[in-house]
Amino acid sequence: MEKLVKRLLSKVSLRHIVSKVRQIIPTLQEFRDLGGCFKHPREISQWWSRLSTDRRRFFLNLMIGLGILFLLQIFHNAPVLRESEDAAMDWVMRMRKCTVSNEPTFPFGWIDIDDETYRDWKEPLYVPREKLAKLIEFAVESRPKMVVVDVDLAQRSGDETLENPIKDVLKKKYGDKCQCERPFSEGCPPPLILVASLRPSKEALLEKRLSNLDDLVEKSDHIFWASPLFDKDWDQSIRRWRMWEPIWPNKKVDAVPTSLPSIQLLAATLLTSGEEEMGKLQRCLNSLALKGHNTMAGQPVSNDEKPCTVTLWNRQGMKLTRKKQTLSLSWERLGRRFLYSIPWQAEGSSGMTIPTVRTTEDQKRLLLTRISALQMRNKQRLADLQGRVVFIGGSFRDGRDIYPSPLGEMPGVLILINSLNSLLQQKTHLPYFFIIIFIKEILLIVLLTIVFSVWDSFWGMIITNLTIIVSLVPVSVWLFGYGFWLDFALPLAAIQIHQLAADFNEGRERRRTNCNANSPPQGENFDN
């Protein structure tokens, strides 16, 4: 190892580099002659023959570098490149886990139906409605910003009285108070989001399963259905959300397709912008659903079709707010990626590491407070949920609601919390910063050209890889926190491909040199 380091240092000495660069960099006149060859293509061979060996190698490496980057951009969505990009972004996300923005946001609460609770409830086949009703009542009484119930409430058993305990609680908490002007006003109950159960329909769209709570939700201005669906990636991990679903109503004979927003989209819009913005968004989504837009295919109806947009952080009445953010509900692959900030540790481990955030009330609080459902018997714990967005959901293993994520296995309810936090707190669309991308590609071409012209393919690969790791990776990690993704996986792939091309070219040069050395001099006779 020590010998390798010494050889590397000798290869990268400043004097060695400067002398080599002077030999390989073409003169300005040679570049002008190259431009003139485009007018007279027959002169290219003459121009090439006038170049020195080092400068031929320079132009050859330049053409290889341009060709590789051009091909990588064309085939950017190829499975191998997509997986490399996902792996790079996952690595950066793991580096930045538990790192949050300094901007004000909403903290979360989680009433967890964990394994201990599930065993205490005698391991029922489904979440007992009497106990769930009490959890909802406790959550609403804690004066939260919002309540999200991540439990399947579809009508499956045929027992229409099954949901009566939940109905009674909702009528008690929302019945007489639903005449208030809008959510978040004084005396109003918190908005309540229920998870809709979806299934395939005959119309090639999803449809919502019936629930005994449908009539109650339809009459209320404060209770909503929302979609919990996400996309699974090539390795079954959940990295990308589905912002909305076109659904087919199954109650009306003359029904037309309509839309169902995702939990994170509905919650973020209500929390930061209110019902008016949600109404505009709902009308836009319904219009797309009516035209046949299929989010499952990820394609618009036509090339002229524009995705719907929503403006976040536009609601009055918050002590602290943020700059308005317009979110495009794009179908692009990178635009649907969300960020994980809260990991999960399974039962028996040391627990979760939770960051502290600044709330919209200008307070420092833990981003997430998790309370076991068993502890909700003690109403003193309700103070811990005050002012939070409270989720009710299970992490018990028999619930089969645990999925792979870039941060390891995670309950579905915690994936929902992470996605909502990503939407509220971060620049979630992760756009390519085109100016930086352009500069990066130009610098990469120059770097590949010079390095592979000065050194052979092995040392060229070592030096360029070290340069990328030392310079580009830290910049990518830094920009990632501001919502920009500067991919370092593609440059590393370009280096590997360039090395293969350089190996091939060097092998061809060696074979040509050997052939010239072994061939007899012109005019020499080997006859006896």
Side-chain angles (χ1 to χ4, degrees), residues 445-470:
I445 292 173
V446 173
L447 175 66
L448 288 174
T449 302
I450 294 178
V451 169
F452 280 92
S453 299
V454 174
W455 296 282
D456 57 30
S457 58
F458 173 77
W459 290 108
M461 181 195 67
I462 295 293
I463 293 170
T464 48
N465 275 326
L466 288 176
T467 303
I468 294 296
I469 292 172
V470 171

Side-chain angles (χ1 to χ4, degrees), residues 38 49 53 57 61 67 71 87 115 136 148 337-338 399 425 428 436 472 477 495 514:
F38 288 105
S49 63
T53 303
R57 191 176 181 186
N61 281 299
L71 291 175
D115 285 305
I136 295 175
V148 180
R337 175 97 190 214
F338 66 95
Q425 193 178 142
T428 56
I436 295 182
L472 191 57
V477 175
I495 292 170
N514 292 335

